[in-house]
Amino acid sequence: ALSLYKQLLLNDRDNIELISKIGLAELAVGNAAEASIQIERALKLDPTNKNLLGPLGEAYEAINNNQKAIDQYKSAILHLNQSLKKSGSVSFKESAEKVKKYEEKLARLYTRSNLFDEASEIYKKLTRNFPDNASLWFGLGQSDLSRGLVYDAVKSFQKAQSLEPQNAEYRTALQSSTDLRAQISKNEDPLSITDVKLNDIYPSLYLNYSETNLLPVGNLTLTNNTNLPIRYNQISVDIPDIMKEASIMQGGVITAFS
């Protein structure tokens, strides 16, 4: 087919459809450099042909032109998301599958480019949408580990390994991150109190208010090695000689960190 397209192009050198097909065919057979040239040419002749943005990103990625690949994947995802809003059921499914495909490629490319924050954000979105996909949890674990979020990485690797227990790569990553977590925990606690600031206490206020637990007492500052919520059973505050009884907050989840 590729040779036929090239032969036909000799008689119609600016035929956008033929140029596009040649570019896609070159990409399919692994000629990424030539594919990028032909797809670039097709897009220059017809900038509205947004369906070529993703393949052009793939061609750039294959020749290690990472920044251009990132730009093309982002443009392709934007276009596809816009298409999803007005697609029929069949085209919706096709567009949704392409969005997932290019988001995965973009996340992996971010990781290879040491853009770990960006990679983690995409992987978080993908794992929410596809929670049974082990490779996505593994990718999230890798990006978080590279960000220094060891505890988060362990959790993601555990999920990946639980979905594919026989995967040696996932098992090795989980073991390595677990060992690193143990090493870190020897040197410092994953959660610690770093500062306590109490407001001025006036005994008359506490004697006159029945709901003493609603009064502001002060600020407690915690540091955390993870982005995971902190779950607690109970927080109790007691000021001797001022409060008749301790103010108790029952168990819950702290989702904001200092």
Side-chain angles (χ1 to χ4, degrees):
L2 182 57
S3 59
L4 177 60
Y5 293 150
K6 289 182 176 180
Q7 187 65 36
L8 292 172
L9 191 64
L10 293 175
N11 299 320
D12 190 359
R13 294 186 178 277
D14 290 330
N15 187 305
I16 298 173
E17 184 178 359
L18 286 174
I19 296 170
S20 300
K21 288 181 176 180
I22 290 172
L24 295 174
E26 294 283 12
L27 183 63
V29 298
N31 296 331
E34 182 62 25
S36 67
I37 293 172
Q38 297 301 330
I39 298 174
E40 279 179 350
R41 184 183 172 197
L43 277 169
K44 186 175 182 180
L45 291 169
D46 181 14
T48 66
N49 191 355
K50 305 295 185 181
N51 292 327
L52 292 177
L53 294 172
L56 182 55
E58 294 181 64
Y60 284 144
E61 182 180 0
I63 59 176
N64 296 316
N65 194 333
N66 290 348
Q67 188 54 58
K68 281 192 173 183
I70 287 172
D71 292 341
Q72 293 303 315
Y73 286 148
K74 289 168 66 176
S75 296
I77 292 166
L78 178 62
H79 165 66
L80 288 165
N81 280 327
Q82 291 172 343
S83 299
L84 285 173
K85 298 177 182 179
K86 50 187 177 182
S87 297
S89 58
V90 176
S91 56
F92 181 93
K93 181 179 179 181
E94 182 180 351
S95 295
E97 289 174 349
K98 286 183 178 180
V99 168
K100 177 178 179 289
K101 171 185 175 181
Y102 291 128
E103 283 182 337
E104 284 190 71
K105 287 181 173 293
L106 182 58
R108 288 196 294 267
L109 195 53
Y110 275 144
T111 299
R112 290 203 300 271
S113 302
N114 297 328
L115 298 171
F116 304 117
D117 289 343
E118 291 85 346
S120 183
E121 284 304 310
I122 295 177
Y123 277 125
K124 285 178 181 177
K125 174 188 173 185
L126 286 168
T127 52
R128 285 194 301 268
N129 294 335
F130 307 96
D132 295 329
N133 188 312
S135 67
L136 297 178
W137 286 105
F138 179 69
L140 178 58
Q142 286 184 309
S143 61
D144 278 345
L145 189 63
S146 297
R147 297 164 69 205
L149 300 174
V150 179
Y151 291 82
D152 303 62
V154 169
K155 183 179 179 181
S156 294
F157 290 143
Q158 286 174 335
K159 182 66 174 179
Q161 208 268 330
S162 70
L163 290 168
E164 293 186 16
Q166 304 306 317
N167 190 302
E169 185 178 19
Y170 298 168
R171 189 165 55 249
T172 299
L174 176 57
Q175 184 61 57
S176 297
S177 60
T178 302
D179 291 344
L180 182 57
R181 182 181 63 180
Q183 181 181 350
I184 290 173
S185 65
K186 289 180 182 178
N187 300 324
E188 61 180 48
D189 293 329
L191 175 65
S192 60
I193 299 174
T194 56
D195 190 28
V196 178
K197 291 183 179 179
L198 293 176
N199 299 329
D200 291 334
I201 303 297
Y202 298 97
S204 61
L205 289 177
Y206 283 89
L207 293 174
N208 294 332
Y209 278 88
S210 59
E211 294 292 334
T212 56
N213 62 317
L214 298 180
L215 290 174
V217 174
N219 295 317
L220 179 68
T221 304
L222 306 175
T223 57
N224 188 359
N225 182 56
T226 81
N227 283 334
L228 301 175
I230 304 172
R231 303 182 185 276
Y232 62 92
N233 293 322
Q234 178 178 290
I235 296 177
S236 177
V237 177
D238 186 14
I239 304 176
D241 301 324
I242 294 179
M243 297 174 64
K244 292 183 178 180
E245 58 184 25
S247 176
I248 297 174
M249 182 183 297
Q250 296 302 325
V253 179
I254 302 174
T255 57
F257 312 105
S258 64

